[in-house]
Amino acid sequence: MAETFAEAPPAEVHSAPGPARPASPVPPEAAQGPPVPASHLSRWVWLLTLVGVVALVAVATDIAGLIVLGAVAAYLLVPLVNGLERSGVGRTQATTLVLAVLLAVTGLVVALALPAVIDQLGSLQDRWESGELLGLVRDMEAALAAKLGFVEPNDLGLVASVREAIRADTGPLIGYVPDALETMGNAFIVPFVLFALLKDGPTLRKRLLSVVPNRYFEFAMTVFYKADAHLGGYLRGQALIAVLVGASTALGLALLGVDYYLVLGLVTGLANFVPYVGFVVSAALCVVVSIVTTGGTSQVAAVLILFAVLQTTENVVFQPWITGKNVSMHPVMVLLAILVGGRVAGVMGMALGVPVAAVLKVVFLETVVGLRRYHL
Amino acid sequence: MQSLWKSLLGGASGANEDDLLGAVPLFEDLTSRELDAVQRLLHRRDYVAGESIFIQGEPGLGMYIIVRGAVSIQSEPSGRELVELVDGDFFGEIALLNEVIRTATARAKTDCTLLSLFQPDLLSLLDRNPRLGVKVLLSLARLVGLRLVEVSDEVESLTRECEELREAAGVADGDG
C-alpha cells in the first residue's frame, strides 16, 4: 500500500534521514534506540557461529574440507533437485533420488574406470621404479649437454630435479587411491552434508538470515542472494567445463597415441578448476609424459596444438557463456586469489580461491552500494 | 538463551501464523498444503515500537505482512503519516515484483511481528513450484490491479476537485 501513496523521490534527497527521524510520530519511550535484546542476541549468535567455524577449521581442517566438498556438490546438484520438485516430487524424495542416482553413477564410474586408471598409474609406477623414465631424462640431459657444449653433464641437475618433482608428485598421486578410498569410507560426512544442504538448503538459508538485525536485514538478504547466485553459477559452470575439458583432453590424447591418456585427462579436468595455472600445469605434464614415454619430442607439437585448441575453445566458447553470468575479475586478481587460496588450503584452496574472491567482491561491492543507498 | 536455541534449531512456529496467512488476501485462494509451502518462504521478523522497517529511498526487495501490531506508513522527510496498517494488512508489495526504491517509510507503531516475502524467494518458488508461484503471482497481480483502480479513482476525483477549484478561482478572477 505504501508504494501507491507517495511518488518516488530521488534517493539522494533523502540520503540523510537521521536528523529527520525524531520528528516522526514515535512514542518517546520507543525512540530510545534499536531493539537491544534482539540485536544483542543475534550478535552472540554470529560470534558463536564465527568461533565455531574458526575452531572447526583450526582443529579439524580435513573435516572442514569435507564439509566444503559437500557444499560444493550441493551447489552442483541443486538444479536437479529443483527440477524434480518442479515436476511434482517432494523435496525429500527428490533429494533422496538425486543422491541415490549420484551414488550409483559414482559407483559405476569408479567400478568401470578405476581399474583402467589404476592400471595406468601402476604401469607409470613400474616404469618409474625400473629406472626407465629416469634413464630417458639422463639421456636427454646428456644430449642437451653435448649440444650446448659449455655445460657439463649433470650440471643442469635435470635428473635430480625430475626425481625430486616426481617424488613429490607421484608419491601422493599413487598414494591417493587408497587415501581416497579411506576418506570415502570415513567421510560419510560428505553425503550427509550434501543431503542436508540439498533438502534443507532454503530453510537453512532462512534460519541464517533470521539472526541478522532488522536494520541490516534487507541489505543482508540482497548480498546473500547475489553471492549465492554467483557462487552457484560459477561452481556449476566450472564443473561443466572441467568435465568437457577433461573428456576432450583424454579423447585427444588417446587419438594422438599419448600413453596414460585417462590419467592425464582426469588430471587436466581437475586442474581446470584452477584458472590459467591449471591448464598450463596440465599441458606441461602432458608434454613431459609424452616426451618421457616416447623417448622423444615426436608428440610434443601435436600435444601443444591440442592444448592450444582446447584452451581457445574454452576461452571463446565455454568461459563467456559461464562468466558472462558471473562477476568478472581482473586476471591479476584471479591469480592472486589462486595463490592465496593455495597458501591457505592447498589444492582445494587454489580451486576455491576464485569463487571465494568473487563472493568477497560481491559482498564488497554490495556493501559499498549499500552504505550509499541504504540508511545503514 | 532459550530463544537463541529456538532460533537456531527452528522452534515450532505459531499455529496462529498459519491461520493468519490464510486470512491475508494475497494467500486466501491457497490450500493449507500450499500455505505451508508459502510459510516456509516467509521470514518472521520482530520489531519494537518506533523501529523503522524500511526507509523511503532505500532499494526494496520484498513485501511485509503484519501478523500482530500496527505499522505506520510515512512520507519522508516530513514524517507525515499516510496510513496506519494493522494485523493482516500487507505493504511493500511492489518491491516484490520489481526492485524499486521504497516510496515511503514504514515504521512500527507498536511492537510488531511481521512476515516478509522477498523477491529471490518468490523467484525460487516460481522455479521449484510454478503452479503455486503462479497462483501467488496472480492474486498479487489482482491486488495490485485493484489498488491501481483505487488510485485512478482517487486521481479522477482529485482532478475534478482541482478543476472545480480552478473554476471557482477563475470566477473569482473574473469578478475581480
Side-chain angles (χ1 to χ4, degrees), chain A residues 1-11 14 17 20-21 23-27 29-31 33-36 38 41 44-45 48-49 82 85-88 91 202-203 205-207 209-215 217-218 221-222 225-226 373-376, chain B residues 3-4 7-10 39-43 45-62 64 73-77 79 82-83 85 90-95 99 101-104 107 109 116 118 120-121 127-128 130 147 151:
Chain A
M1 189 165 276
E3 324 285 354
T4 53
F5 272 87
E7 31 182 299
H14 301 290
R21 232 177 274 184
S24 54
V26 164
E29 74 279 3
V36 177
L41 185 68
W44 277 108
V45 172
L48 280 175
T49 313
N82 286 351
E85 218 187 342
R86 194 170 357 188
S87 58
R91 184 124 190 133
T203 323
R205 186 179 312 178
K206 195 174 134 183
R207 206 146 290 155
L209 281 166
S210 76
V211 294
V212 177
N214 286 339
R215 197 65 214 94
F217 178 54
E218 281 203 31
M221 188 101 182
T222 314
Y225 274 96
K226 289 209 168 138
R373 292 171 73 196
Y374 288 86
H375 304 90
L376 295 182
Chain B
S3 60
L4 187 152
S7 80
L8 273 182
L9 301 171
Q39 172 91 49
R40 276 197 292 274
L41 295 178
L42 299 174
H43 300 260
R45 311 291 305 178
D46 291 311
Y47 295 81
V48 295
E51 200 180 356
S52 51
I53 297 153
F54 54 71
I55 295 173
Q56 186 173 317
E58 283 183 356
L61 202 62
Y64 292 83
I73 305 297
Q74 304 167 346
S75 165
E76 299 280 8
L82 301 167
V83 66
L85 303 172
F90 61 96
F91 54 95
E93 71 281 3
I94 299 217
E99 254 184 80
I101 286 170
R102 297 286 188 194
T103 55
R107 187 162 282 137
K109 249 186 160 171
S116 50
F118 285 93
D121 294 322
D127 182 39
R128 292 185 289 127
R147 284 186 179 170
V151 171

Side-chain angles (χ1 to χ4, degrees), chain A:
Chain A
M1 189 165 276
E3 324 285 354
T4 53
F5 272 87
E7 31 182 299
E12 299 80 36
V13 177
H14 301 290
S15 55
R21 232 177 274 184
S24 54
V26 164
E29 74 279 3
Q32 298 296 319
V36 177
S39 63
H40 262 277
L41 185 68
S42 46
R43 223 167 280 160
W44 277 108
V45 172
W46 279 116
L47 201 67
L48 280 175
T49 313
L50 196 69
V51 168
V53 169
V54 170
L56 181 67
V57 171
V59 173
T61 320
D62 49 342
I63 293 180
L66 291 175
I67 291 174
V68 170
L69 205 64
V72 170
Y75 264 115
L76 301 182
L77 293 175
V78 135
L80 284 180
V81 174
N82 286 351
L84 277 175
E85 218 187 342
R86 194 170 357 188
S87 58
V89 185
R91 184 124 190 133
T92 311
Q93 289 91 316
T95 309
T96 314
L97 193 65
V98 165
L99 214 61
V101 170
L102 175 77
L103 289 178
V105 168
T106 312
L108 204 68
V109 167
V110 167
L112 289 180
L114 204 61
V117 171
I118 287 180
D119 198 38
Q120 292 202 351
L121 271 176
S123 125
L124 193 65
Q125 175 86 347
D126 287 348
R127 292 181 71 170
W128 170 247
E129 278 167 359
S130 71
E132 185 192 338
L133 301 183
L134 220 63
L136 283 166
V137 175
R138 196 173 294 129
D139 289 351
M140 276 169 60
E141 190 172 6
L144 260 173
K147 267 187 192 158
L148 292 173
F150 51 87
V151 282
E152 293 294 313
N154 300 331
D155 263 12
L156 289 169
L158 264 184
V159 175
S161 59
V162 166
R163 187 183 281 147
E164 273 303 301
I166 292 185
R167 186 168 299 148
D169 281 340
T170 51
L173 196 66
I174 289 167
Y176 178 78
V177 178
D179 263 3
L181 288 176
E182 190 190 318
T183 311
M184 277 159 71
N186 293 335
F188 64 94
I189 196 167
V190 173
F192 182 74
V193 167
L194 179 57
F195 185 84
L197 285 179
L198 278 179
K199 182 181 161 290
D200 295 328
T203 323
L204 215 65
R205 186 179 312 178
K206 195 174 134 183
R207 206 146 290 155
L208 263 179
L209 281 166
S210 76
V211 294
V212 177
N214 286 339
R215 197 65 214 94
Y216 308 104
F217 178 54
E218 281 203 31
F219 167 65
M221 188 101 182
T222 314
V223 173
F224 195 91
Y225 274 96
K226 289 209 168 138
D228 186 51
H230 279 122
L231 194 59
Y234 180 86
L235 289 176
R236 283 190 280 274
Q238 286 301 316
L240 193 61
I241 290 183
V243 170
L244 289 173
V245 166
S248 46
T249 305
L251 187 69
L253 291 177
L255 289 178
L256 293 178
V258 177
D259 283 352
Y260 311 119
Y261 57 88
L262 275 182
V263 176
L264 292 176
L266 192 69
V267 169
T268 306
L270 287 176
N272 206 64
F273 267 98
V274 183
Y276 309 130
V277 182
F279 215 86
V280 173
V281 168
S282 49
L285 184 70
C286 289
V287 167
V288 167
V289 167
S290 88
I291 291 176
V292 165
T293 51
T294 58
T297 51
S298 57
Q299 288 174 337
V300 170
V303 169
L304 285 179
I305 289 172
L306 174 71
F307 270 84
V309 168
L310 285 177
Q311 177 78 73
T312 312
T313 317
E314 192 195 333
N315 281 335
V316 175
V317 183
F318 301 146
Q319 287 291 2
W321 164 47
I322 293 197
T323 49
K325 288 186 263 171
N326 292 299
V327 210
S328 56
M329 285 213 298
H330 194 275
V332 173
M333 290 308 293
V334 171
L335 282 176
L336 205 64
I338 293 167
L339 292 177
V340 173
R343 182 63 61 83
V344 172
V347 176
M348 196 191 226
M350 289 175 93
L352 292 178
V354 178
V356 167
V359 164
L360 289 180
K361 187 178 173 183
V362 170
V363 172
F364 177 73
L365 286 180
E366 287 297 321
T367 308
V368 169
V369 172
L371 287 178
R372 212 161 358 104
R373 292 171 73 196
Y374 288 86
H375 304 90
L376 295 182

